[in-house]
Amino acid sequence: MSRTTDVIVVGSGLAGLMAALGAARQGREVRVISEGMGCLAIGSGSVDLLGYAPDGACVDDPWAAMALLPATHPYSLLGSDKVRAALAALVETAARHGLGLRAAERDGTPRNTRVPTIMGTLKPTYLVPDSFDQEALAKARHVLVASVRGFRDCRPALVIDQLRRYPDWADKNFTPCIIPAPFEDAHRALNALDLARAAERPGGRDWLAGALKERAEGCDLVLLPPICGRHAASGLAHDLSETLGCPVVEMLAIPPGVGGLRLRDALLRELASLGVEMVENANVIGARVAEDRCLSLTISGTGRNYVTRAKAYVLATGGILAGGITLAPGSARERVFGLELPLPEDVGAWTEPEIFGNHAVASLGVRVDGNLRPLDANGALALENVFFAGRTLGGHDPAVEKSGYGVALATGWHAGLAAAELAGAPHCAGEAATGGKQ
């Protein structure tokens, strides 16, 4: 930990992992410091790019809608070409490790698609697993909505009642069903991760296919919770579609995030192949700064404190809920460097009566320049060798916009590239072996 590395990334959510990937692809030595598993462990695995415009309208073409965003939005700072490059990097990396991701198309143009959830809502998203058949959803007339006994989070009758509210789904014929669980007894309610793991165990495929085969007769679509295997490379969803003779589509679900874990696995395998060092269960508790540069970070882990150094740093520590931003009466700060964040002086103006309105606190975050380096209260560069990515950035509201993963991967990827460029020459393996980078 005392060895100076090229790039240190703090955080292992999608933004942090993409930053590490971007820097490592440039030949840099990269160290990732992570306190937990990051947001991917609770995510759906689909990538929301921009689901709703600033006026609240549902977005069909997210690339056109980006032109409507304010200048301070992370997409506006990067530009659409850089967002496209980051998406391409993610798709290429995921495919190498057995996870196909793609955007739905209409008339040859990539568009958002509306994916059913286990709550019966339709969620606008951009990249979906290649097993997701948008055409089948549109054409299906007889739909089987299935869940598993003991999995309380998914109620087929509720899903059907909710889906019928949407014009495109109102005239479909639905059949609800609950299939037997793969366990004889369970000491608690089952979740999607339990069932996805069970589907990959010996006999798991036969359990799932056998339970659905008779029930799916006469149907041209089957909707399931995300239980078709813990790992994307298992190909269980494709196999199940062939066995049943109709497309099988996994609905998006609440945590634990089976789809997000599939994506996380693909990224971690790629980072391991590039020699990225992962330091887990470590919390950054301080930073040493001199002359507008970060010299080192102090981290706490395994019962003691360490000092770790790099030429460049990427902070992807999350927002308020993740602890990357701290609030106090009348103020808000970024946690590691203590950067003061802009907020209305009147605390009452932080929020507003409309629960789904434009709350100032919802778009709270670090202000950055076009290279994702932090700016101070006067708009001047605050830290020369530090870059921010993901939810720590200000200027966007991922929950309302449905832009969280898109912003995370785009800013993470380009923060990693910028940090790699600043870090200088590619890492020399021989130098590391002899300790020449002290």
Side-chain angles (χ1 to χ4, degrees):
M1 291 296 294
S2 63
R3 186 185 75 249
T4 299
T5 192
D6 290 328
V7 177
I8 285 178
V9 176
V10 182
S12 65
L14 182 56
L17 297 183
M18 288 298 293
L21 180 62
R25 287 272 179 89
Q26 303 305 307
R28 304 304 187 260
E29 184 185 36
V30 180
R31 178 179 300 149
V32 177
I33 298 172
S34 171
E35 185 177 7
M37 292 185 68
C39 65
L40 286 170
I42 61 173
S44 68
S46 62
V47 174
D48 300 344
L49 188 57
L50 184 61
Y52 291 94
D55 63 0
C58 190
V59 168
D60 181 56
D61 183 353
W63 303 105
M66 284 183 192
L68 305 175
L69 298 173
T72 54
H73 195 285
Y75 286 154
S76 300
L77 293 174
L78 290 177
S80 62
D81 287 345
K82 289 185 176 181
V83 179
R84 291 180 189 273
L87 281 167
L90 178 68
V91 170
E92 177 266 330
T93 300
R96 186 181 297 116
H97 297 280
L99 176 58
L101 294 172
R102 60 178 175 82
E105 292 189 359
R106 280 194 299 280
D107 301 324
T109 303
R111 303 281 185 176
N112 278 339
T113 188
R114 304 185 79 188
V115 182
T117 75
I118 62 170
M119 306 306 293
T121 57
L122 296 178
K123 180 175 183 287
T125 192
Y126 187 72
L127 289 183
V128 293
D130 59 4
S131 61
F132 184 88
D133 193 332
Q134 175 66 28
E135 186 176 355
L137 262 68
K139 293 182 176 181
R141 301 269 63 87
H142 300 278
V143 182
L144 178 70
V145 182
S147 187
V148 180
R149 187 173 295 116
F151 180 37
R152 300 174 184 172
D153 294 333
C154 181
R155 305 283 183 166
L158 172 64
V159 174
I160 292 169
D161 285 345
Q162 293 292 94
L163 285 177
R164 281 184 171 140
R165 297 181 306 145
Y166 297 97
D168 292 343
W169 291 76
D171 60 347
K172 299 184 188 295
N173 296 315
F174 291 97
T175 301
C177 81
I178 303 289
I179 66 174
F183 315 104
E184 291 186 4
D185 295 298
H187 65 281
R188 57 170 172 79
L190 301 176
N191 60 47
L193 184 57
D194 296 326
L195 297 169
R197 286 170 171 161
E200 287 186 342
R201 294 178 186 139
R205 290 173 183 249
D206 294 338
W207 155 69
L208 197 51
L212 291 169
K213 181 66 175 175
E214 183 176 342
R215 294 172 171 86
E217 289 184 4
C219 294
D220 44 21
L221 177 68
V222 174
L223 294 181
L224 279 178
I227 61 175
C228 293
R230 163 66 177 79
H231 302 91
S234 68
L236 202 154
H238 290 285
D239 294 347
L240 195 58
S241 295
E242 292 185 359
T243 300
L244 300 181
C246 67
V248 172
V249 169
E250 290 184 307
M251 298 177 283
L252 303 185
I254 62 176
V258 175
L261 288 170
R262 294 169 184 164
L263 181 54
R264 184 175 186 269
D265 286 348
L267 290 171
L268 288 178
R269 285 196 295 270
E270 181 70 8
L271 294 179
S273 72
L274 294 170
V276 172
E277 178 187 5
M278 302 294 296
V279 181
E280 299 178 324
N281 301 315
N283 181 34
V284 176
I285 59 174
R288 184 182 172 207
V289 176
E291 298 181 354
D292 300 331
R293 291 181 66 87
C294 178
L295 304 181
S296 65
L297 298 176
T298 301
I299 66 173
S300 175
T302 62
R304 58 177 294 187
N305 295 343
Y306 304 83
V307 173
T308 183
R309 303 176 181 84
K311 298 175 183 176
Y313 302 81
V314 178
L315 274 289
T317 49
I320 296 171
L321 294 178
I325 294 172
T326 60
L327 300 178
S331 70
R333 293 183 180 275
E334 182 276 326
R335 179 175 64 85
V336 175
F337 294 97
L339 298 168
E340 188 172 352
L341 308 182
L343 268 176
E345 292 185 7
D346 179 9
V347 176
W350 289 20
T351 59
E352 62 173 41
E354 271 299 318
I355 189 170
F356 296 114
N358 295 317
H359 297 255
V361 74
S363 57
L364 183 65
V366 176
R367 293 181 298 181
V368 294
D369 64 10
N371 288 320
L372 303 175
R373 296 181 297 180
L375 304 176
D376 63 18
N378 298 318
L381 185 64
L383 293 164
E384 182 183 348
N385 65 335
V386 176
F387 304 82
F388 283 86
R391 188 62 190 92
T392 319
L393 294 174
H396 72 298
D397 185 346
V400 169
E401 299 170 355
K402 294 293 182 285
S403 64
Y405 271 11
V407 168
L409 74 92
T411 57
W413 174 254
H414 288 287
L417 295 180
E421 182 178 2
L422 187 146
H427 170 64
C428 175
E431 185 178 49
T434 58
K437 293 187 71 176
Q438 297 291 332

